[in-house]
Amino acid sequence: MAESGQRRAAVDSVLRARDIDRAQASTVLDAAYAEGQLGAQEYHDRVASASTARTVGNLARLTVDLQSPAVFSENPPSRRPRRRARAEYPAHTRARSSDRTATIEALDTARADGQLDADEHAALAELATEARTLGDLSTLVAELHQRPDAPTKPRVRRDPRRLVVIALASVAAVAAFVVTVRDRAEPPPVTHYNSAAPLVLATPSPTTIAGFLHIRDGLDAKFGNAVVDAITCHPEYARLTREATGQGSFSADYTYYGGFQRSTGAMPVRARATVSIDLATVNTDALAATLADAATTLSVPDGKVQHFSIAADTTTKRPVITIHVGNEHSQSGFLTTTLSGELIRAHPYEEK
């Protein structure tokens, strides 16, 4: 048992953290702050660390000393043990195009759920495109939660008739190739096209009021309403949870990158106490002003909005907006308002 725990800890120490893992850690920290386990500054520091944590191990260290609901520790992200197939190809086996595609799809999933940032994703995807062996591809996804299954050797039954068919097919293919080459007197004419610049439709950043309105309108268009359980807006993307369409007892997670896509196929049971929040009730004029003045309000030099969330307060269960501001020197602060824009609390940056 001890060795099993040590192995899991070793895996978690390098396993990439997803946005959902960071959100779970932040939920634990919220509960601990509400219960008085953490002071305001310590709570703020830990939340800031959770928002930038790279591994599951980093997140675990932020909550290991807390007495709080087992939101994070009860169901920690873990890797299911993978059974090595008997006929699995060795690592030096050449990779096929389909193997590279499967690896890139896994990297895309990791980018969407926050395991990789944009630069890491681009670099790893480029390496996957140029990978020559299955071992090269396996190394690129070794630290990810979802990894493509390794290709396995098919079981081939020896059949003399099948060998004859293959031989005849090979002869026919060679003959067709020779005839084709002989008949090709001239190369086909080359047509030149004038390349046009691609049309790029810019999507506003979700941490701006324009981006928030874009997401809210998109929700209404896709689902018929803009009701969510919680939403967190980052500069490049947003994550949200809402009632699963047509299945009120379950919830579904979505990632927004200019459009909505399911983060996972899982649909956890939706707690009865879950508070639904209609984003149409947000005072967007007040939110725009708060976002614009947040860095000044929180005394963060050259600060920018790192992310803001709309969710039910862990204590009052009332919907609130929490805005986090930071700069490149790790100076940060946060504030909380009602949906109508009234300030509830603010924790500005203070020089230590």
Side-chain angles (χ1 to χ4, degrees):
M1 294 294 289
E3 292 182 359
S4 177
Q6 291 174 352
R7 284 196 297 270
R8 170 171 289 183
V11 169
D12 287 350
S13 67
V14 298
L15 190 63
R16 294 288 185 129
R18 302 166 294 183
D19 286 331
I20 191 172
D21 303 325
R22 299 182 186 98
Q24 288 173 338
S26 295
T27 301
V28 174
L29 296 171
D30 289 344
Y33 176 66
E35 295 168 357
Q37 297 185 58
L38 297 174
Q41 186 60 49
E42 187 176 12
Y43 164 70
H44 164 63
D45 291 342
R46 292 198 188 194
V47 168
S49 296
S51 68
T52 58
R54 301 295 297 276
T55 69
V56 174
N58 295 149
L59 291 173
R61 284 189 285 275
L62 296 173
T63 59
V64 69
D65 62 334
L66 300 178
Q67 297 183 59
S68 59
V71 180
F72 180 75
S73 59
E74 190 173 84
N75 187 26
S78 61
R79 231 182 244 161
R80 292 183 179 179
R82 302 179 66 198
R83 296 180 180 177
R84 182 177 178 84
R86 294 180 181 178
E88 187 173 303
Y89 289 107
H92 63 266
T93 305
R94 291 298 184 99
R96 299 170 297 182
S97 296
S98 59
D99 302 324
R100 299 184 186 92
T101 299
T103 300
I104 293 173
E105 289 175 352
L107 294 171
D108 291 343
T109 299
R111 173 71 180 99
D113 63 20
Q115 297 181 65
L116 301 173
D117 60 29
D119 292 337
E120 291 172 327
H121 173 268
L124 292 175
E126 183 177 355
L127 291 174
T129 302
E130 300 173 352
R132 295 175 62 83
T133 68
L134 296 178
D136 294 337
L137 293 175
S138 177
T139 300
L140 299 178
V141 296
E143 297 179 354
L144 304 183
H145 287 259
Q146 298 86 14
R147 296 167 298 183
D149 293 329
T152 56
K153 298 178 182 178
R155 294 183 178 181
V156 181
R157 297 178 59 185
R158 296 184 179 276
D159 188 343
R161 291 174 297 179
R162 185 166 180 249
L163 296 177
V164 172
V165 172
I166 293 174
L168 291 175
S170 300
V171 171
V174 171
F177 173 77
V178 172
V179 171
T180 301
V181 172
R182 287 178 178 175
D183 289 345
R184 186 180 297 168
E186 296 180 359
V190 178
T191 304
H192 297 281
Y193 298 93
N194 293 325
S195 59
L199 177 61
V200 179
L201 300 178
T203 301
S205 170
T207 52
T208 65
I209 193 62
F212 173 76
L213 292 173
H214 191 78
I215 292 172
R216 190 175 72 175
D217 293 343
L219 281 169
D220 191 62
K222 183 175 180 65
F223 302 105
N225 60 59
V227 177
V228 301
D229 295 343
I231 182 171
T232 300
C233 295
H234 297 268
E236 296 180 355
Y237 64 95
R239 296 293 301 274
L240 64 94
T241 301
R242 58 175 281 125
E243 180 182 308
T245 304
Q247 303 187 52
S249 299
F250 301 90
S251 62
D253 296 325
Y254 292 87
T255 301
Y256 174 84
Y257 277 105
F260 299 94
Q261 61 181 1
R262 287 286 299 275
S263 300
T264 66
M267 290 195 301
V269 176
R270 193 165 179 264
R272 292 184 179 180
T274 300
V275 178
S276 295
I277 303 170
D278 189 350
L279 299 184
T281 62
V282 174
N283 184 331
T284 53
D285 289 337
L287 177 58
T290 303
L291 289 172
D293 298 337
T296 301
T297 302
L298 296 172
S299 303
V300 180
D302 299 320
K304 296 180 180 179
V305 175
Q306 293 180 326
H307 63 273
F308 73 87
S309 61
I310 302 177
D313 185 273
T314 55
T315 303
T316 65
K317 304 302 180 184
R318 294 179 181 177
V320 296
I321 303 173
T322 303
I323 301 174
H324 290 261
V325 174
N327 61 21
E328 60 181 6
H329 303 295
S330 299
Q331 299 170 332
S332 55
F334 72 99
L335 59 84
T336 302
T337 72
T338 64
L339 298 190
S340 58
E342 288 82 13
L343 181 65
I344 298 175
R345 56 181 174 267
H347 296 279
Y349 169 73
E350 296 179 357
E351 291 284 354
K352 296 182 180 179

